[in-house]
Amino acid sequence: MTQKIVIAGSGFSGFWAAISAMRVIALAKKEHEIKVILISPKPNVTIRPRLYEAKLENMSPNISKQLEAVGVEYIAGKVKQIHSENHTLAVELVDNSQIQLAYDKFILATGSQLLTPPVTGFAEYGFNVDTLESAQQLETHLQSLKNKPETKARNTAVVVGGGLTGIESAAEMPDRLKAILGENTNIRVFIVDTAPSIAAGMGEAASQVVQQALKECGVETRASLRVERLERDSITLSNGECIPTDTVILATGVKAHPLTEQIKGNRDISGRIISDDYLHAPETPDVFVTGDTVKAATDDLGNYNLMTCQHALSLGRVAGYNAAAELIDIPLHAYRQPKYVTCLDLGPWGALYTEGWDRQVHFTQAEGKKIKQEINTQWIYPPELNREELFSIAKPDHVIVP
């Protein structure tokens, strides 16, 4: 009987899990005995790290050719229920029909979703760049502003959340609004965060660079503050300040996909399953967690993966390898990814590139921007290669950041 490795999710981690698993199977000449199946609504990888940008072309490249080249079967649908006790999945296909699918190994690679705090008005009036659809909605809204009468609210945007996505969104926004409303328009852009200072978590040196860059981009900062409420044309902060605005962008963090709740195991504050070194869900046999659904040690120094594509690209390769390795009965590969870098886009100012968990500043402005553009346009995209070429870079120890 043919054994099945089923992968839920076609993002960075799911894509590479599928390629990596097929590589192991092909090397063992077990392609007629083990099938790899990838399930997602569309055969695409959304380039989520770039959704803060104004131009959204080629942000969801199709991966059908790559999957076909290596022999991965694709099912258009969503996993709705994980029945781990009998190794089956309830899958809703895109035509709304339902199927039951058995698995021998299951890899959860469904990523994460925006965490929307229970603040009045966030759900009704907030925009975000969490998905391609929501980023397109934001762009449609911004373009519509030029058809509205000029007011302070029309000319003002507020980004809520001072993490990487919030900072990148804010840094782009002054020029983005001027391109729509006119270069001489009195644009105001704010970024609001509860931390003592914007980018405080990046360390003093990097934080100072970010704050200076935001200032030069024309972004006003509001730190140590919460949002009390959001209305159609204003936002009120915890210090009582009311900012007229028609555009509020939520960058309030992410949480693991709800499917993780159907897997037994310990979780972190973001809902991620805490795995072992091989990315098993320790309390659920034959289930692997990867990408944004897992918290795993990146080294032996107490560091863990973040919910970023940098880690997802490696986690996917390891999860796919180990799922196939268990079926073929070869040694597993422990996940380790000791090198960590941050490359933060800071709009027209440039970009910030740091290395290490202490975020030592290596490159800024134009030098940093060059690296960021290379990352955004080359490193993170699924490569259009043939079978052998894909397999050559799908090894579990493939170095993501040299």
Side-chain angles (χ1 to χ4, degrees), residues 195-212:
S197 59
I198 303 301
M202 296 184 70
E204 184 175 353
S207 177
Q208 288 180 356
V209 172
V210 171
Q211 290 177 51
Q212 181 61 34

Side-chain angles (χ1 to χ4, degrees), residues 98 113 150 154 187 189 242 256 258 267 275 287 295 302 330 336 353 367:
Q98 307 276 336
Q113 299 177 348
E150 181 166 1
R154 187 201 70 159
I187 299 296
V189 174
C242 181
R267 292 169 174 77
S275 75
V287 171
K295 179 179 180 180
I330 61 175
R336 285 295 183 267
Y353 176 87
E367 288 182 299

Side-chain angles (χ1 to χ4, degrees), residues 28-66:
K29 301 186 186 305
K30 299 283 187 178
E31 291 167 287
H32 297 295
E33 301 174 32
I34 305 172
K35 180 184 291 187
V36 176
I37 301 170
L38 188 146
I39 304 172
S40 67
K42 297 179 181 179
N44 297 81
V45 174
T46 299
I47 309 301
R48 196 179 183 194
R50 294 188 63 189
L51 296 182
Y52 64 90
E53 297 180 20
K55 295 181 179 179
L56 297 171
E57 294 83 5
N58 196 29
M59 294 297 188
S60 187
N62 191 292
I63 55 172
S64 297
K65 289 182 180 179
Q66 293 94 321

Side-chain angles (χ1 to χ4, degrees), residues 75-101:
I75 295 178
K78 292 181 180 179
V79 174
K80 304 297 286 186
Q81 295 288 331
I82 303 167
H83 302 296
S84 56
E85 68 282 356
N86 61 4
H87 285 53
T88 61
L89 306 167
V91 180
E92 181 180 88
L93 303 180
V94 290
D95 63 3
N96 295 321
S97 63
Q98 307 276 336
I99 64 170
Q100 294 288 321
L101 184 64

Side-chain angles (χ1 to χ4, degrees), residues 154-233:
R154 187 201 70 159
N155 297 348
T156 302
V158 179
V159 177
V160 181
L164 303 186
T165 299
I167 292 168
E168 291 183 323
S169 298
E172 286 258 319
M173 196 53 60
D175 276 12
R176 192 169 172 180
L177 284 174
K178 286 181 180 180
I180 296 169
L181 300 177
E183 187 65 31
N184 296 322
T185 304
N186 184 23
I187 299 296
R188 296 188 77 185
V189 174
F190 297 82
I191 184 168
V192 180
D193 196 53
T194 57
S197 59
I198 303 301
M202 296 184 70
E204 184 175 353
S207 177
Q208 288 180 356
V209 172
V210 171
Q211 290 177 51
Q212 181 61 34
L214 289 174
K215 183 178 180 180
E216 292 185 26
C217 288
V219 178
E220 302 176 50
T221 59
R222 296 290 186 271
S224 298
L225 294 172
R226 302 182 313 278
V227 175
E228 292 293 331
R229 67 182 178 275
L230 172 60
E231 297 177 277
R232 186 180 299 277
D233 58 1

